[in-house]
Amino acid sequence: MAYKFIDNYREKGARKRLVEILEKKGIEDKQILKAIGKVPRHFFFDETFWNQAYKDIAFPIGEEQTISQPYTVAYQTQLLHIKKGDKVLEIGTGSGYQACILMELGADVYTIERQEKLYQRTIQVLPYMGYKPKFFLGDGSRGIKEHAPYDKIIVTAGAPTVPEELLKQLKIGGILVIPVGDEDKQQMVTVLKTAENDYEKHVLDTFRFVPLVGDKAW
């Protein structure tokens, strides 16, 4: 499959304006803002909809999934406190945009997607763009046990509860960020693993994600 990627002054200018919007909304991490300003979000859209790429909105990408709102991507990423070399598990590859932001921050990303059409597209598009996470096709609610433990885990779909399987795959001192609630709205939850069976949980702002589907979710 051939891709025609063009990133000119118009798109770069649009990214700069998007970064300014995110700053005004309270995103403070300069490295995250720098990553948002670098990753060409329009590459994840059909060319017909490139004019939508730098609005601070979620947008359909097929298979009843969306590319997350840039503010949401930045918000979740900020909660992870990424350090260079962190081993990060991403549940829900989707378009691949979030994975690119994590890699720009120096994370070693393991990403899993259950929708085969999305998976097949991202395994072609991301390497073409120069991003090479470890891709997996499967049930993200179970994590990827064979590569655990992880420094950080990010879930990009709404779950009814925090899956126990994911907590088990987190290193002591590691952080899990996950939206938890019903299928209409969720609250962002961060979990810090303080010991093998001890966790510190914080419930934050309200968001709306597509549902996390799987054996340990909906």
Side-chain angles (χ1 to χ4, degrees):
M1 184 174 184
Y3 296 98
K4 185 177 71 172
F5 291 149
I6 300 168
D7 190 31
N8 60 27
Y9 289 111
R10 181 179 62 183
E11 284 76 35
K12 290 172 182 175
R15 284 202 294 282
K16 184 177 179 182
R17 291 190 292 275
L18 176 59
V19 167
E20 290 168 355
I21 289 169
L22 298 183
E23 282 188 291
K24 288 177 182 176
K25 287 189 172 184
I27 301 301
E28 299 176 345
D29 190 304
K30 297 299 183 186
Q31 292 305 307
I32 293 173
L33 292 170
K34 184 178 178 182
I36 296 280
K38 183 176 179 182
V39 177
R41 190 171 185 255
H42 63 285
F43 286 3
F44 301 95
F45 288 64
D46 185 285
E47 193 173 348
T48 309
F49 301 110
W50 276 11
N51 64 333
Q52 302 293 313
Y54 295 108
K55 295 179 180 179
D56 190 26
I57 57 172
F59 199 82
I61 56 172
E63 308 305 307
E64 299 183 344
Q65 303 298 303
T66 62
I67 181 172
S68 292
Q69 179 184 358
Y71 173 76
T72 304
V73 171
Y75 183 99
Q76 279 196 291
T77 305
Q78 197 164 255
L79 293 174
L80 287 171
H81 300 284
I82 297 292
K83 297 174 186 172
K84 190 172 183 179
D86 272 351
K87 186 177 180 181
V88 180
L89 172 61
E90 180 193 26
I91 307 299
T93 311
S95 68
Y97 179 65
Q98 173 72 78
C100 293
I101 297 299
L102 294 169
M103 283 182 282
E104 282 292 339
L105 298 174
D108 179 19
V109 177
Y110 292 68
T111 183
I112 184 167
E113 173 58 52
R114 68 182 297 275
Q115 297 284 355
E116 188 167 3
K117 286 185 179 179
L118 295 180
Y119 169 81
Q120 292 296 340
R121 185 172 193 274
T122 56
I123 64 173
Q124 294 179 67
V125 173
L126 265 64
Y128 186 91
M129 293 171 62
Y131 297 101
K132 297 179 181 178
K134 283 85 170 174
F135 294 103
F136 298 85
L137 176 66
D139 181 355
S141 72
R142 288 183 167 276
I144 310 174
K145 188 176 180 181
E146 60 267 31
H147 294 285
Y150 302 95
D151 297 296
K152 312 286 167 63
I153 299 176
I154 178 172
V155 181
T156 62
T161 59
V162 179
E164 189 69 28
E165 288 286 324
L166 299 185
L167 293 175
K168 290 177 181 177
Q169 293 175 33
L170 198 59
K171 283 183 182 177
I172 294 173
I175 299 170
L176 166 65
V177 174
I178 180 172
V180 177
D182 56 32
E183 293 188 59
D184 291 321
K185 63 181 180 180
Q186 305 86 32
Q187 286 181 286
M188 199 67 71
V189 174
T190 65
V191 182
L192 172 66
K193 189 169 186 175
T194 56
E196 194 55 50
N197 295 298
D198 292 321
Y199 305 93
E200 188 178 297
K201 180 179 174 183
H202 299 276
V203 180
L204 304 167
D205 298 312
T206 300
F207 289 84
R208 185 173 183 179
F209 284 77
V210 296
L212 176 66
V213 178
D215 184 54
K216 304 297 181 181
W218 297 106

